[in-house]
Amino acid sequence: MPRRSEPSPAPLPSITLRGQGESIWLEARAVWLLQKGARRRIPLAAVEGARVTGRGGRSVEVALWGGDDGPGPVFLVEGRDASAAARLVEVINRERSETGPPQGGASLVDVLPTGTSETARRRKRRMRAQEFAVFAVYLAGIAGLVLAGRPFRALLWATGVMPLALGILLVGPAAVAARRRWVLRKRGVAVVALFDRGTSRRKYFRYTDLEGGAHEIRADYAAPGIGGDPRRIEVVYDPENPEDAVCTLAARTLVWRGAGVVLFGVPVLLLGLAMTVGQAVSLFF
C-alpha cells in the first residue's frame, strides 16, 4: 500500500513589526529578529510565549523556553504599530509548541550574519568624509563672499543650499535609477517574482534566477501584477549579479515620473546651482 504523507504545516501569515533600527517578522515557521546588529532565526519550537508590552502596546516581548539552568532569554522589540504587534503576538502564541525542548529554547536559535561587511563599513566612513567636505566647502563659501565684501551674494549662497539639496534629492536618485533600468533593459533577464511577505506599504517578492538561486526584492508600489494578479510581478535582474534587479513598470508610469523630475526637479536644481556655484564663480570674474 502506498504510504500516506503527513500534511505539511500551514504557512504563517506575513506579519512584520518594525521599530527604530530593529524589526521582527514571521517566516518559514520561525520568528526572525533583527536587532543590535544581529539577525536571529528563532524556531517556533523554541518560543514559550509572546506578549504585547510597552507604551501604547506597540512593542513585542518574546520569551524562549528555559532549560536546566533556569528561564530562557527574552527578546524585546520596540515597534511602531500596535495592531501589527497584537497580530504578531496572537499568531506566535497560537503556533508555538506546548512543551519546550529539554535543552531549552536558546539552543535552537541561529545567529546569522547581517550582511554588513568591511566594504560596507568603509563605504559608510567614506560617505561621512564626503559629508564633512561638503559642509566645509559650504562654510568656506560664505566666509569667502563675506570677506570679499559681497554680503548679498553670501546670503544667496547660504540660502541656496536648500534648493540645491532638494534638486539633488529629486534629480540624483531619478537619474541613477533611470540609468540602472536602462542597463538592465539591455542585458537583464526577465523572470516572474512571487509575493513572499509584507504589508500594504512594503511588499517583498522572491524570484529564482536561471542558475536556480533564490533572491528577494522589495517591490515598487507601482509594479503591475501579471494578468491582474498582485501576487505575481515581473522583475529584470542582472545575469552577472542576480541580486541586482528592478521591477518592470508600465510605460505610462515611467513617463509620468520622468515628467515630474524634468518639470519640477530640474528647475529647482538649476536655481540651487545659480544661488551657490554661480556666486562662487563671481569671485573670479
Side-chain angles (χ1 to χ4, degrees):
M1 295 180 61
R3 185 173 56 184
R4 296 177 58 186
S5 60
E6 294 294 331
S8 59
L12 298 180
S14 299
I15 303 175
T16 302
L17 178 66
R18 299 183 182 276
Q20 185 65 35
E22 57 186 12
S23 59
I24 182 173
W25 69 93
L26 297 174
E27 181 182 348
R29 307 291 301 176
V31 178
W32 290 76
L33 180 65
L34 180 61
Q35 188 179 53
K36 297 180 180 179
R39 185 163 60 105
R40 292 180 174 89
R41 179 186 177 276
I42 307 174
L44 287 172
V47 178
E48 181 179 8
R51 69 184 184 97
V52 174
T53 185
R55 182 179 179 182
R58 294 178 292 184
S59 301
V60 169
E61 190 177 84
V62 179
L64 306 190
W65 289 102
D68 297 334
D69 297 334
V74 177
F75 298 98
L76 174 65
V77 175
E78 297 180 356
R80 300 174 179 175
D81 189 339
S83 60
R87 291 194 300 268
L88 186 66
V89 167
E90 178 186 359
V91 174
I92 292 176
N93 288 331
R94 185 182 69 217
E95 301 291 335
R96 69 180 180 86
S97 300
E98 295 297 330
T99 57
Q103 69 275 24
S107 61
L108 303 180
V109 178
D110 296 323
V111 181
L112 307 173
T114 60
T116 303
S117 61
E118 180 61 29
T119 302
R121 286 190 287 268
R122 287 198 299 267
R123 187 184 302 114
K124 187 175 182 179
R125 290 194 294 267
R126 187 166 57 249
M127 288 183 62
R128 289 180 178 175
Q130 292 172 352
E131 292 172 355
F132 177 79
V134 169
F135 185 66
V137 170
Y138 172 68
L139 293 180
I142 296 176
L145 289 168
V146 170
L147 294 175
R150 300 179 180 182
F152 179 71
R153 292 184 179 275
L155 179 62
L156 289 177
W157 173 282
T159 57
V161 70
M162 290 183 287
L164 178 62
L166 179 59
I168 292 175
L169 288 176
L170 292 173
V171 177
V176 172
R179 181 183 180 280
R180 179 186 176 205
R181 186 173 293 276
W182 176 263
V183 171
L184 289 180
R185 180 185 176 185
K186 293 294 184 181
R187 70 182 186 193
V189 178
V191 294
V192 176
L194 303 179
F195 177 77
D196 182 59
R197 70 180 194 279
T199 62
S200 58
R201 296 182 179 180
R202 294 184 178 182
K203 294 182 180 180
Y204 295 87
F205 286 71
R206 297 188 70 84
Y207 62 94
T208 304
D209 60 39
L210 297 181
E211 303 298 326
H215 310 278
E216 183 180 82
I217 184 174
R218 179 181 172 182
D220 190 301
Y221 72 91
I226 298 177
D229 183 0
R231 300 179 65 86
R232 301 169 68 247
I233 63 173
E234 183 182 83
V235 301
V236 180
Y237 73 86
D238 187 346
E240 297 181 0
N241 181 19
E243 290 287 342
D244 184 15
V246 295
C247 299
T248 299
L249 300 177
R252 62 178 180 274
T253 300
L254 297 175
V255 170
W256 279 110
R257 289 184 178 180
V261 172
V262 172
L263 295 177
F264 183 69
V266 173
V268 172
L269 177 61
L270 293 177
L271 174 62
L273 289 174
M275 297 176 66
T276 53
V277 179
Q279 308 314 310
V281 173
S282 69
L283 289 175
F284 306 97
F285 298 97

